[in-house]
PDB file of all heavy atoms in Angstrom:
ATOM      1  N   LYS A   1       0.856  -1.180   0.000  1.00 96.00           N
ATOM      2  CA  LYS A   1       0.000   0.000   0.000  1.00 96.00           C
ATOM      3  C   LYS A   1       0.890   1.226   0.000  1.00 96.00           C
ATOM      4  O   LYS A   1       1.506   1.551   1.020  1.00 96.00           O
ATOM      5  CB  LYS A   1      -0.929   0.003   1.212  1.00 96.00           C
ATOM      6  CG  LYS A   1      -1.973   1.120   1.174  1.00 96.00           C
ATOM      7  CD  LYS A   1      -2.975   0.958   2.301  1.00 96.00           C
ATOM      8  CE  LYS A   1      -4.048   2.037   2.229  1.00 96.00           C
ATOM      9  NZ  LYS A   1      -5.029   1.913   3.332  1.00 96.00           N
ATOM     10  N   PRO A   2       1.012   1.891  -1.142  1.00 96.00           N
ATOM     11  CA  PRO A   2       1.907   3.054  -1.233  1.00 96.00           C
ATOM     12  C   PRO A   2       1.643   4.040  -0.097  1.00 96.00           C
ATOM     13  O   PRO A   2       0.481   4.245   0.277  1.00 96.00           O
ATOM     14  CB  PRO A   2       1.552   3.659  -2.595  1.00 96.00           C
ATOM     15  CG  PRO A   2       1.041   2.478  -3.384  1.00 96.00           C
ATOM     16  CD  PRO A   2       0.302   1.631  -2.385  1.00 96.00           C
ATOM     17  N   PRO A   3       2.715   4.576   0.494  1.00 97.00           N
ATOM     18  CA  PRO A   3       4.128   4.481   0.071  1.00 97.00           C
ATOM     19  C   PRO A   3       4.912   3.324   0.691  1.00 97.00           C
ATOM     20  O   PRO A   3       6.128   3.407   0.793  1.00 97.00           O
ATOM     21  CB  PRO A   3       4.695   5.811   0.555  1.00 97.00           C
ATOM     22  CG  PRO A   3       3.944   6.068   1.837  1.00 97.00           C
ATOM     23  CD  PRO A   3       2.559   5.544   1.616  1.00 97.00           C
ATOM     24  N   GLY A   4       4.217   2.252   1.121  1.00 98.00           N
ATOM     25  CA  GLY A   4       4.956   1.171   1.759  1.00 98.00           C
ATOM     26  C   GLY A   4       4.150  -0.099   1.861  1.00 98.00           C
ATOM     27  O   GLY A   4       3.509  -0.529   0.896  1.00 98.00           O
ATOM     28  N   TYR A   5       4.129  -0.667   3.065  1.00 98.00           N
ATOM     29  CA  TYR A   5       3.472  -1.951   3.294  1.00 98.00           C
ATOM     30  C   TYR A   5       2.724  -1.896   4.614  1.00 98.00           C
ATOM     31  O   TYR A   5       3.086  -1.156   5.531  1.00 98.00           O
ATOM     32  CB  TYR A   5       4.507  -3.082   3.344  1.00 98.00           C
ATOM     33  CG  TYR A   5       5.347  -3.165   2.089  1.00 98.00           C
ATOM     34  CD1 TYR A   5       6.563  -2.474   1.998  1.00 98.00           C
ATOM     35  CD2 TYR A   5       4.937  -3.910   0.986  1.00 98.00           C
ATOM     36  CE1 TYR A   5       7.331  -2.523   0.845  1.00 98.00           C
ATOM     37  CE2 TYR A   5       5.704  -3.969  -0.174  1.00 98.00           C
ATOM     38  CZ  TYR A   5       6.896  -3.272  -0.234  1.00 98.00           C
ATOM     39  OH  TYR A   5       7.651  -3.323  -1.389  1.00 98.00           O
ATOM     40  N   VAL A   6       1.665  -2.721   4.715  1.00 98.00           N
ATOM     41  CA  VAL A   6       0.872  -2.769   5.937  1.00 98.00           C
ATOM     42  C   VAL A   6       0.646  -4.218   6.334  1.00 98.00           C
ATOM     43  O   VAL A   6       0.311  -5.057   5.506  1.00 98.00           O
ATOM     44  CB  VAL A   6      -0.474  -2.022   5.764  1.00 98.00           C
ATOM     45  CG1 VAL A   6      -1.261  -2.554   4.582  1.00 98.00           C
ATOM     46  CG2 VAL A   6      -1.291  -2.091   7.046  1.00 98.00           C
ATOM     47  N   LEU A   7       0.885  -4.510   7.608  1.00 98.00           N
ATOM     48  CA  LEU A   7       0.651  -5.845   8.149  1.00 98.00           C
ATOM     49  C   LEU A   7      -0.686  -5.814   8.880  1.00 98.00           C
ATOM     50  O   LEU A   7      -0.847  -5.125   9.882  1.00 98.00           O
ATOM     51  CB  LEU A   7       1.775  -6.229   9.118  1.00 98.00           C
ATOM     52  CG  LEU A   7       1.740  -7.654   9.673  1.00 98.00           C
ATOM     53  CD1 LEU A   7       1.952  -8.672   8.547  1.00 98.00           C
ATOM     54  CD2 LEU A   7       2.802  -7.841  10.751  1.00 98.00           C
ATOM     55  N   HIS A   8      -1.650  -6.555   8.362  1.00 97.00           N
ATOM     56  CA  HIS A   8      -3.009  -6.516   8.898  1.00 97.00           C
ATOM     57  C   HIS A   8      -3.147  -7.454  10.090  1.00 97.00           C
ATOM     58  O   HIS A   8      -3.666  -8.565   9.985  1.00 97.00           O
ATOM     59  CB  HIS A   8      -4.020  -6.870   7.803  1.00 97.00           C
ATOM     60  CG  HIS A   8      -4.164  -5.810   6.759  1.00 97.00           C
ATOM     61  ND1 HIS A   8      -4.702  -4.570   7.032  1.00 97.00           N
ATOM     62  CD2 HIS A   8      -3.815  -5.792   5.446  1.00 97.00           C
ATOM     63  CE1 HIS A   8      -4.698  -3.833   5.936  1.00 97.00           C
ATOM     64  NE2 HIS A   8      -4.163  -4.549   4.961  1.00 97.00           N
ATOM     65  N   VAL A   9      -2.660  -7.003  11.220  1.00 96.00           N
ATOM     66  CA  VAL A   9      -2.871  -7.694  12.489  1.00 96.00           C
ATOM     67  C   VAL A   9      -3.396  -6.662  13.480  1.00 96.00           C
ATOM     68  O   VAL A   9      -3.192  -5.458  13.312  1.00 96.00           O
ATOM     69  CB  VAL A   9      -1.585  -8.355  13.020  1.00 96.00           C
ATOM     70  CG1 VAL A   9      -1.061  -9.395  12.041  1.00 96.00           C
ATOM     71  CG2 VAL A   9      -0.515  -7.320  13.334  1.00 96.00           C
ATOM     72  N   ALA A  10      -4.067  -7.143  14.509  1.00 97.00           N
ATOM     73  CA  ALA A  10      -4.618  -6.250  15.529  1.00 97.00           C
ATOM     74  C   ALA A  10      -3.580  -5.961  16.598  1.00 97.00           C
ATOM     75  O   ALA A  10      -2.754  -6.819  16.934  1.00 97.00           O
ATOM     76  CB  ALA A  10      -5.857  -6.878  16.153  1.00 97.00           C
ATOM     77  N   SER A  11      -3.628  -4.754  17.157  1.00 97.00           N
ATOM     78  CA  SER A  11      -2.681  -4.408  18.210  1.00 97.00           C
ATOM     79  C   SER A  11      -2.831  -5.338  19.417  1.00 97.00           C
ATOM     80  O   SER A  11      -1.867  -5.573  20.154  1.00 97.00           O
ATOM     81  CB  SER A  11      -2.870  -2.947  18.635  1.00 97.00           C
ATOM     82  OG  SER A  11      -4.167  -2.733  19.165  1.00 97.00           O
ATOM     83  N   ALA A  12      -4.034  -5.899  19.615  1.00 97.00           N
ATOM     84  CA  ALA A  12      -4.262  -6.805  20.737  1.00 97.00           C
ATOM     85  C   ALA A  12      -3.441  -8.087  20.630  1.00 97.00           C
ATOM     86  O   ALA A  12      -3.273  -8.810  21.616  1.00 97.00           O
ATOM     87  CB  ALA A  12      -5.744  -7.164  20.828  1.00 97.00           C
ATOM     88  N   GLN A  13      -2.926  -8.380  19.443  1.00 97.00           N
ATOM     89  CA  GLN A  13      -2.117  -9.582  19.245  1.00 97.00           C
ATOM     90  C   GLN A  13      -0.649  -9.365  19.611  1.00 97.00           C
ATOM     91  O   GLN A  13       0.133 -10.318  19.590  1.00 97.00           O
ATOM     92  CB  GLN A  13      -2.199 -10.029  17.783  1.00 97.00           C
ATOM     93  CG  GLN A  13      -3.580 -10.475  17.335  1.00 97.00           C
ATOM     94  CD  GLN A  13      -3.630 -10.709  15.826  1.00 97.00           C
ATOM     95  OE1 GLN A  13      -4.121  -9.888  15.073  1.00 97.00           O
ATOM     96  NE2 GLN A  13      -3.102 -11.826  15.396  1.00 97.00           N
ATOM     97  N   ILE A  14      -0.266  -8.133  19.935  1.00 98.00           N
ATOM     98  CA  ILE A  14       1.142  -7.785  20.142  1.00 98.00           C
ATOM     99  C   ILE A  14       1.350  -7.377  21.595  1.00 98.00           C
ATOM    100  O   ILE A  14       0.644  -6.506  22.125  1.00 98.00           O
ATOM    101  CB  ILE A  14       1.553  -6.643  19.194  1.00 98.00           C
ATOM    102  CG1 ILE A  14       1.249  -7.031  17.738  1.00 98.00           C
ATOM    103  CG2 ILE A  14       3.033  -6.322  19.349  1.00 98.00           C
ATOM    104  CD1 ILE A  14       1.395  -5.890  16.756  1.00 98.00           C
ATOM    105  N   ASP A  15       2.322  -7.975  22.256  1.00 98.00           N
ATOM    106  CA  ASP A  15       2.495  -7.762  23.692  1.00 98.00           C
ATOM    107  C   ASP A  15       2.803  -6.317  24.065  1.00 98.00           C
ATOM    108  O   ASP A  15       2.428  -5.856  25.145  1.00 98.00           O
ATOM    109  CB  ASP A  15       3.556  -8.717  24.263  1.00 98.00           C
ATOM    110  CG  ASP A  15       4.941  -8.543  23.645  1.00 98.00           C
ATOM    111  OD1 ASP A  15       5.105  -7.763  22.688  1.00 98.00           O
ATOM    112  OD2 ASP A  15       5.874  -9.250  24.109  1.00 98.00           O
ATOM    113  N   VAL A  16       3.472  -5.581  23.196  1.00 98.00           N
ATOM    114  CA  VAL A  16       3.806  -4.184  23.507  1.00 98.00           C
ATOM    115  C   VAL A  16       2.551  -3.371  23.807  1.00 98.00           C
ATOM    116  O   VAL A  16       2.519  -2.576  24.757  1.00 98.00           O
ATOM    117  CB  VAL A  16       4.579  -3.537  22.341  1.00 98.00           C
ATOM    118  CG1 VAL A  16       4.631  -2.024  22.498  1.00 98.00           C
ATOM    119  CG2 VAL A  16       5.987  -4.082  22.269  1.00 98.00           C
ATOM    120  N   PHE A  17       1.514  -3.592  23.020  1.00 98.00           N
ATOM    121  CA  PHE A  17       0.303  -2.788  23.186  1.00 98.00           C
ATOM    122  C   PHE A  17      -0.470  -3.210  24.432  1.00 98.00           C
ATOM    123  O   PHE A  17      -1.105  -2.370  25.088  1.00 98.00           O
ATOM    124  CB  PHE A  17      -0.537  -2.869  21.913  1.00 98.00           C
ATOM    125  CG  PHE A  17       0.167  -2.295  20.723  1.00 98.00           C
ATOM    126  CD1 PHE A  17       0.907  -3.100  19.864  1.00 98.00           C
ATOM    127  CD2 PHE A  17       0.139  -0.930  20.484  1.00 98.00           C
ATOM    128  CE1 PHE A  17       1.590  -2.562  18.786  1.00 98.00           C
ATOM    129  CE2 PHE A  17       0.823  -0.374  19.402  1.00 98.00           C
ATOM    130  CZ  PHE A  17       1.554  -1.195  18.554  1.00 98.00           C
ATOM    131  N   ALA A  18      -0.387  -4.492  24.796  1.00 98.00           N
ATOM    132  CA  ALA A  18      -0.975  -4.927  26.070  1.00 98.00           C
ATOM    133  C   ALA A  18      -0.223  -4.292  27.233  1.00 98.00           C
ATOM    134  O   ALA A  18      -0.829  -3.845  28.218  1.00 98.00           O
ATOM    135  CB  ALA A  18      -0.942  -6.447  26.168  1.00 98.00           C
ATOM    136  N   PHE A  19       1.106  -4.254  27.140  1.00 98.00           N
ATOM    137  CA  PHE A  19       1.927  -3.602  28.162  1.00 98.00           C
ATOM    138  C   PHE A  19       1.506  -2.147  28.337  1.00 98.00           C
ATOM    139  O   PHE A  19       1.336  -1.656  29.470  1.00 98.00           O
ATOM    140  CB  PHE A  19       3.396  -3.695  27.758  1.00 98.00           C
ATOM    141  CG  PHE A  19       4.319  -2.760  28.489  1.00 98.00           C
ATOM    142  CD1 PHE A  19       4.656  -2.992  29.815  1.00 98.00           C
ATOM    143  CD2 PHE A  19       4.856  -1.650  27.851  1.00 98.00           C
ATOM    144  CE1 PHE A  19       5.499  -2.131  30.497  1.00 98.00           C
ATOM    145  CE2 PHE A  19       5.710  -0.780  28.516  1.00 98.00           C
ATOM    146  CZ  PHE A  19       6.027  -1.025  29.843  1.00 98.00           C
ATOM    147  N   GLN A  20       1.321  -1.443  27.246  1.00 98.00           N
ATOM    148  CA  GLN A  20       0.954  -0.031  27.315  1.00 98.00           C
ATOM    149  C   GLN A  20      -0.462   0.169  27.851  1.00 98.00           C
ATOM    150  O   GLN A  20      -0.718   1.115  28.592  1.00 98.00           O
ATOM    151  CB  GLN A  20       1.135   0.615  25.943  1.00 98.00           C
ATOM    152  CG  GLN A  20       2.598   0.690  25.520  1.00 98.00           C
ATOM    153  CD  GLN A  20       2.797   1.106  24.080  1.00 98.00           C
ATOM    154  OE1 GLN A  20       1.869   1.034  23.253  1.00 98.00           O
ATOM    155  NE2 GLN A  20       4.005   1.541  23.749  1.00 98.00           N
ATOM    156  N   ARG A  21      -1.369  -0.748  27.509  1.00 98.00           N
ATOM    157  CA  ARG A  21      -2.742  -0.648  28.032  1.00 98.00           C
ATOM    158  C   ARG A  21      -2.765  -0.857  29.547  1.00 98.00           C
ATOM    159  O   ARG A  21      -3.420  -0.114  30.280  1.00 98.00           O
ATOM    160  CB  ARG A  21      -3.649  -1.667  27.345  1.00 98.00           C
ATOM    161  CG  ARG A  21      -4.075  -1.272  25.929  1.00 98.00           C
ATOM    162  CD  ARG A  21      -5.216  -2.151  25.440  1.00 98.00           C
ATOM    163  NE  ARG A  21      -4.849  -3.566  25.388  1.00 98.00           N
ATOM    164  CZ  ARG A  21      -4.251  -4.151  24.356  1.00 98.00           C
ATOM    165  NH1 ARG A  21      -3.928  -3.438  23.285  1.00 98.00           N
ATOM    166  NH2 ARG A  21      -3.970  -5.436  24.372  1.00 98.00           N
ATOM    167  N   PHE A  22      -2.051  -1.871  30.019  1.00 98.00           N
ATOM    168  CA  PHE A  22      -1.977  -2.098  31.465  1.00 98.00           C
ATOM    169  C   PHE A  22      -1.340  -0.895  32.158  1.00 98.00           C
ATOM    170  O   PHE A  22      -1.761  -0.497  33.254  1.00 98.00           O
ATOM    171  CB  PHE A  22      -1.173  -3.354  31.776  1.00 98.00           C
ATOM    172  CG  PHE A  22      -1.937  -4.641  31.633  1.00 98.00           C
ATOM    173  CD1 PHE A  22      -1.463  -5.658  30.824  1.00 98.00           C
ATOM    174  CD2 PHE A  22      -3.122  -4.847  32.332  1.00 98.00           C
ATOM    175  CE1 PHE A  22      -2.148  -6.858  30.701  1.00 98.00           C
ATOM    176  CE2 PHE A  22      -3.822  -6.034  32.212  1.00 98.00           C
ATOM    177  CZ  PHE A  22      -3.337  -7.045  31.396  1.00 98.00           C
ATOM    178  N   GLY A  23      -0.297  -0.333  31.538  1.00 98.00           N
ATOM    179  CA  GLY A  23       0.370   0.821  32.126  1.00 98.00           C
ATOM    180  C   GLY A  23      -0.570   2.014  32.246  1.00 98.00           C
ATOM    181  O   GLY A  23      -0.594   2.691  33.288  1.00 98.00           O
ATOM    182  N   GLN A  24      -1.370   2.265  31.221  1.00 98.00           N
ATOM    183  CA  GLN A  24      -2.312   3.378  31.260  1.00 98.00           C
ATOM    184  C   GLN A  24      -3.411   3.115  32.289  1.00 98.00           C
ATOM    185  O   GLN A  24      -3.830   4.025  33.019  1.00 98.00           O
ATOM    186  CB  GLN A  24      -2.937   3.604  29.881  1.00 98.00           C
ATOM    187  CG  GLN A  24      -3.854   4.814  29.811  1.00 98.00           C
ATOM    188  CD  GLN A  24      -3.167   6.084  30.293  1.00 98.00           C
ATOM    189  OE1 GLN A  24      -2.116   6.468  29.798  1.00 98.00           O
ATOM    190  NE2 GLN A  24      -3.757   6.743  31.296  1.00 98.00           N
ATOM    191  N   GLN A  25      -3.847   1.868  32.363  1.00 98.00           N
ATOM    192  CA  GLN A  25      -4.840   1.510  33.370  1.00 98.00           C
ATOM    193  C   GLN A  25      -4.289   1.770  34.777  1.00 98.00           C
ATOM    194  O   GLN A  25      -4.993   2.314  35.639  1.00 98.00           O
ATOM    195  CB  GLN A  25      -5.215   0.038  33.222  1.00 98.00           C
ATOM    196  CG  GLN A  25      -6.242  -0.453  34.236  1.00 98.00           C
ATOM    197  CD  GLN A  25      -6.496  -1.954  34.123  1.00 98.00           C
ATOM    198  OE1 GLN A  25      -5.950  -2.634  33.259  1.00 98.00           O
ATOM    199  NE2 GLN A  25      -7.326  -2.481  35.000  1.00 98.00           N
TER     200      GLN A  25
END
């Protein structure tokens, strides 16, 4: 997808975003 590439996965599948959600909570 110009100008690059997109990986269609949900942020919920990636531990970094869970870490950040718990931190904000």
Side-chain angles (χ1 to χ4, degrees):
K1 187 172 182 181
Y5 303 92
V6 55
L7 185 65
H8 289 293
V9 299
S11 62
Q13 295 172 258
I14 305 170
D15 61 354
V16 166
F17 297 94
F19 164 73
Q20 293 170 342
R21 283 193 299 274
F22 279 126
Q24 184 54 56
Q25 179 185 357

